[in-house]
């Protein structure tokens, strides 16, 4: 397991052309904590996540993972060099690959030998309750099952940081709640630092230690969640 990593954003700004989407964001995310980014549509949640992933480059500011600078104005370390896992709303599975091949992909990229790869794939599929579906193609799975595959793929290389962009919003309400609790349990077992984008307050409360409210490209407030008391200021 990778050592727990904190995430720090110092004065991070981002614009699409003349449209400023993120305006001097400062954020400190503790190692091993789960932070939900909450806010209305268009407030910049996905943009912030893409900056954390290395899919976009900040116009201003710095992003640090532990003592490693991963982005600064005009420069970004690419995603594959960041030790991250990602889960998106649309699952983003490769349709021509089996469940096992999808999950194995990050290990292939790291040249993990086949035997070790197969063992780790089965361990990851067991963790998400999908061992019996290893040879199936994604099209033969339900939405919830597909998202479990995406989750297994995100965790298999034991990344220091996991990034989620509305992973449950394509699922019905009951499934969303049960899978959200499962993911919270899994993330706490793994101890991975996680940033979870959602516009669903309930998901944020089920899952996160802290909730960061974004509004119009700035951090409006940060709340701590305690399991018994709910969200407190
Ligand atoms: N590729 C793009 N080109 C231009 N503007 C963009 C692009 N992507 C996003 N935007 C704009 O940037 C702003 C922030 O978008 P972003 O996707 O980060 O919002 P969001 O908070 O994730 O919203 P949602 O909850 O709807 O997913 C929006 O005003 C959006 O229209
Ligand atoms: Mg979004």
């Amino acid at each position: 397991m990778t050592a727990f990593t904190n995430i720090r954003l110092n004065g991070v700004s981002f614009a699409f052309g003349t449209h400023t989407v993120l305006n001097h964001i400062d954020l400190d995310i503790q190692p091993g904590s789960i932070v939900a980014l909450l806010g209305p549509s268009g407030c910049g949640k996905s943009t912030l996540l893409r900056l954390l992933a290395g899919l976009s480059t900040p116009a201003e500011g710095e992003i640090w993972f532990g003592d490693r600078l991963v982005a600064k104005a005009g420069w970004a370390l690419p995603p594959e060099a960041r030790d991250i896992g990602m889960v998106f709303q649309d699952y983003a599975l490769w349709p021509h690959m089996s469940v096992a091949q999808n999950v194995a992909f990050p290990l292939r990229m790291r040249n993990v030998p086949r035997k070790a790869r197969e063992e780790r794939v089965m361990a990851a599929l067991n963790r998400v309750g999908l061992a019996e579906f290893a040879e199936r193609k994604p099209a033969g799975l339900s939405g919830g099952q597909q998202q479990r595959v995406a989750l297994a793929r995100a965790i298999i290389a034991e990344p220091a940081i996991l990034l989620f962009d509305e992973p449950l919003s394509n699922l019905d309400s009951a499934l969303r709640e049960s899978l959200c609790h499962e993911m919270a349990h899994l993330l706490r077992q793994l101890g991975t630092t996680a940033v979870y984008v959602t516009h669903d307050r309930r998901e944020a409360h089920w899952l996160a230690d802290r909730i960061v409210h974004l509004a119009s490209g700035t951090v409006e407030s940060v709340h701590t969640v305690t399991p018994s008391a709910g969200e407190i200021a």
Side-chain angles (χ1 to χ4, degrees), residues 179-201:
L179 197 48
C180 192
H181 287 299
E182 261 183 59
M183 287 193 348
H185 183 67
L186 181 62
L187 288 176
R188 294 210 157 75
Q189 270 184 343
L190 296 171
T192 315
T193 309
V195 181
Y196 187 98
V197 165
T198 181
H199 58 254
D200 185 330
R201 297 178 62 84

Side-chain angles (χ1 to χ4, degrees), residues 45-47 89 165-166 197:
K45 304 181 297 296
S46 295
T47 303
Q89 180 174 348
D165 196 349
E166 312 227 21
V197 165

Side-chain angles (χ1 to χ4, degrees), residues 94-161:
W94 290 284
H96 61 290
M97 291 187 193
S98 69
V99 165
Q101 287 168 334
N102 265 282
V103 174
F105 192 80
L107 300 184
R108 291 179 70 124
M109 298 302 287
R110 289 168 171 80
N111 294 317
V112 175
R114 203 177 100 174
K115 182 91 171 63
R117 220 163 58 208
E118 285 171 359
E119 283 170 11
R120 286 172 67 178
V121 165
M122 285 321 289
L125 287 177
N126 269 315
R127 270 192 186 278
V128 299
L130 281 184
E132 68 200 276
F133 297 104
E135 297 313 318
R136 226 182 253 193
K137 293 276 167 55
L141 300 177
S142 71
Q145 289 166 337
Q146 289 188 51
Q147 200 53 304
R148 285 169 203 266
V149 177
L151 183 61
R153 183 180 59 186
I155 64 173
I156 192 153
E158 301 185 358
I161 292 169

